[in-house]
Amino acid sequence: MEKENKPVCQFCGRTADEAGGLIRGNLGGLICSDCIYAIHNLLQDKQREKPKLPFDEKTLPKPKEIKGFLDKYVIGQENAKIVVSVSVYNHYKRVLHFLNQKPGDVELEKSNILMIGPTGVGKTLIAQTLARFLNVPFAIADATTLTEAGYVGEDVENILVRLLQTANYNVPLAELGIIYIDELDKIGRKSENPSITKDVSGEGVQQALLKLLENTDALVPPEGGRKHPEQPLIKINTSNILFIAGGHFDGLDKIVAHRTNEILIGFDGKSRKEIDTTNILNGIEPEDLIHYGLIPELVGRLPVSVILPPLDKSALRSILLEPRNALIKQYRVLFEMENVELEIEDSAIDSIVNEAVKKKTGARALKSIVERIFIPITYELPSRENVKKLVITSNTVKKGADPKWITYT
């Protein structure tokens, strides 16, 4: 096509002067840059309309199937695994409903999850295992590094950048992922009253998190870092992203106890009833989290709360031996690569568990103790010849004594 004998864009009909230049194809076709951008945006919108999940309504794993997979990797925490399995099942049913929604259909609200428990009880592991089983993008963010936009630290939107990178920059896929926000309790505000001064790493971060936890279109820099006017930004909708937050919330049990206990006033004041401290957090209410330092709006966006109690000796022992990727199983595989059989006496296992209980850091204590035991052994083993079997005794754990080296005769 030509306008007054001048080449024109074959889509919009403008001349090169009107469109600011034309691009010619190999077969002689002409197109302007505006039409290229329009086609690009159209294709992106079409792609956004039908994001794909690795399952549909028929193949979506049922809560018992989800918990069964969690059982292979997470020891104990039965109630937490049940609550999380049901919540994740309902969330992705909601997502499938949203993808197939027709005008006038009932809209289902998202239910984000808050996990409360001390370090090393499996909060992060549950979230990671869920994402692996469902085969959806997963990202972990540390709330302690976040600050309000414009201050030293990470912008809250950078949480979405990690999810986008995990999804290989596939925006529709990232919009169906899971984000785990760790250490949420570290951004509690200093008092229940709204701050009159800047609290850029506490209440300010909570305010910034609100829009992500709900349904919003967030603009994020593709490579992370600060936003700049000249930097291209990617739009990510968070309405179908499941947020799981976790934290220790040290001292929250005292807040619950203060609310639930009836105290007699007087010199001989005593509580009317004794509260089991191990189960005290099961009576948690939203007002307790607000008193701890979370703003009411954030508490409202985390409607599903689950308590993860400290691990006892039985659970710690099982963590060492039973999961698919148990620490002892890992070292047995490493020693098999050296053609050496590894044996650990029951008394040695008991010693590891007892030492871990003293450290009060849950399963993380097991990792540090086992590494301390095996580092000198692994240093020595490759240089020894004719080693057939290695036996770890209680003295190896308690006193650092040499293990039993059994050689070929």
Side-chain angles (χ1 to χ4, degrees):
M1 293 177 62
E2 292 189 359
K3 183 185 292 186
E4 296 179 356
N5 298 322
K6 291 183 179 180
V8 297
C9 173
Q10 295 178 338
F11 284 82
C12 65
R14 292 184 298 170
T15 64
D17 294 336
E18 294 171 335
L22 298 174
I23 300 172
R24 185 183 296 275
N26 291 334
L27 301 179
L30 297 171
I31 186 172
C32 67
S33 58
D34 289 340
C35 288
I36 291 175
Y37 283 122
I39 294 170
H40 172 72
N41 293 333
L42 178 64
L43 293 175
Q44 277 198 324
D45 291 340
K46 286 291 184 183
Q47 188 181 24
R48 278 180 171 277
E49 287 174 7
K50 295 183 179 180
K52 292 182 180 179
L53 279 169
F55 44 77
D56 55 26
E57 293 180 354
K58 294 182 179 179
T59 59
L60 172 64
K62 297 176 177 60
K64 285 189 177 181
E65 295 174 359
I66 298 173
K67 182 183 177 295
F69 188 82
L70 289 175
D71 288 338
K72 297 178 183 178
Y73 297 91
V74 183
I75 297 297
Q77 310 300 359
E78 293 301 309
N79 181 59
K81 288 187 289 190
I82 290 172
V83 172
V84 171
S85 298
V86 171
S87 298
V88 169
Y89 175 73
N90 286 336
H91 172 75
Y92 280 103
K93 272 206 309 184
R94 172 194 169 277
V95 171
L96 291 169
H97 174 79
F98 171 81
L99 296 179
N100 300 317
Q101 190 174 5
K102 299 176 183 177
D105 284 353
V106 176
E107 293 186 7
L108 304 177
E109 294 185 357
K110 180 170 62 171
S111 295
N112 298 310
I113 304 169
L114 174 62
M115 295 195 290
I116 301 172
T119 181
V121 296
K123 299 188 296 294
T124 308
L125 180 60
I126 287 175
Q128 287 177 322
T129 308
L130 274 174
R132 185 192 317 166
F133 179 58
L134 296 171
N135 194 24
V136 295
F138 174 74
I140 299 178
D142 189 343
T144 57
T145 64
L146 303 174
T147 58
E148 278 192 75
Y151 291 86
V152 175
E154 283 196 271
D155 286 347
V156 172
E157 286 82 5
N158 282 349
I159 295 174
L160 299 176
V161 175
R162 296 193 185 98
L163 188 67
L164 186 62
Q165 292 169 343
T166 305
N168 198 23
Y169 291 92
N170 184 333
V171 175
L173 183 60
E175 291 177 340
L176 303 175
I178 298 175
I179 292 179
Y180 177 71
I181 304 175
D182 202 8
E183 307 290 355
L184 186 73
D185 53 321
K186 303 304 187 294
I187 60 171
R189 61 186 180 187
K190 304 301 181 288
S191 70
E192 290 184 75
N193 298 321
S195 176
I196 60 173
T197 59
K198 276 289 184 182
D199 183 13
V200 299
S201 61
E203 183 178 348
V205 173
Q206 293 188 51
Q207 296 285 358
L209 277 173
L210 293 179
K211 61 180 181 179
L212 293 191
L213 295 181
E214 274 300 316
N215 309 334
T216 189
D217 288 323
L219 297 175
V220 301
E223 301 299 331
R226 295 298 185 187
K227 296 178 183 177
H228 302 288
E230 69 279 1
Q231 187 179 25
L233 300 176
I234 297 176
K235 183 171 71 173
I236 298 179
N237 185 276
T238 64
S239 59
N240 292 322
I241 296 176
L242 178 64
F243 288 87
I244 303 176
H248 185 179
F249 288 89
D250 186 28
L252 183 60
D253 55 342
K254 296 177 182 177
I255 295 173
V256 179
H258 181 75
R259 176 178 57 80
T260 55
N261 250 356
E262 297 180 12
I263 306 298
L264 292 174
I265 299 175
F267 292 106
D268 297 325
K270 296 180 181 179
S271 63
R272 290 185 185 272
K273 57 184 178 180
E274 294 295 328
I275 295 182
D276 184 359
T277 55
T278 59
N279 296 319
I280 189 172
L281 288 176
N282 289 328
I284 190 174
E285 295 289 345
E287 62 190 82
D288 301 318
L289 294 170
I290 294 170
H291 185 65
Y292 188 87
L294 298 186
I295 60 177
E297 298 90 341
L298 186 63
V299 174
R301 285 165 174 78
L302 295 165
V304 179
S305 60
V306 57
I307 309 301
L308 287 82
L311 300 171
D312 57 17
K313 288 185 178 181
S314 175
L316 290 171
R317 184 182 180 89
S318 298
I319 288 171
L320 270 179
L321 302 172
E322 294 178 11
R324 182 170 292 180
N325 57 344
L327 285 171
I328 301 303
K329 290 181 180 179
Q330 293 181 37
Y331 271 97
R332 284 204 171 102
V333 171
L334 289 173
F335 277 65
E336 285 175 3
M337 295 171 70
E338 300 280 353
N339 296 317
V340 175
E341 181 184 352
L342 174 63
E343 179 184 330
I344 303 181
E345 295 179 350
D346 285 343
S347 59
I349 296 292
D350 292 336
S351 298
I352 294 173
V353 170
N354 291 334
E355 195 170 331
V357 170
K358 293 177 184 177
K359 290 182 179 293
K360 296 182 179 180
T361 55
R364 288 189 175 89
L366 295 174
K367 178 72 172 176
S368 62
I369 294 168
V370 170
E371 290 290 343
R372 173 178 58 79
I373 294 168
F374 280 99
I375 281 177
I377 296 172
T378 308
Y379 175 77
E380 181 74 20
L381 178 62
S383 301
R384 290 211 177 200
E385 296 181 356
N386 299 324
V387 177
K388 177 183 179 182
K389 188 175 182 180
L390 191 67
V391 181
I392 306 296
T393 66
S394 179
N395 284 333
T396 308
V397 178
K398 292 180 179 178
K399 303 176 182 179
D402 284 340
K404 295 179 182 178
W405 300 86
I406 300 176
T407 58
Y408 291 98
T409 56

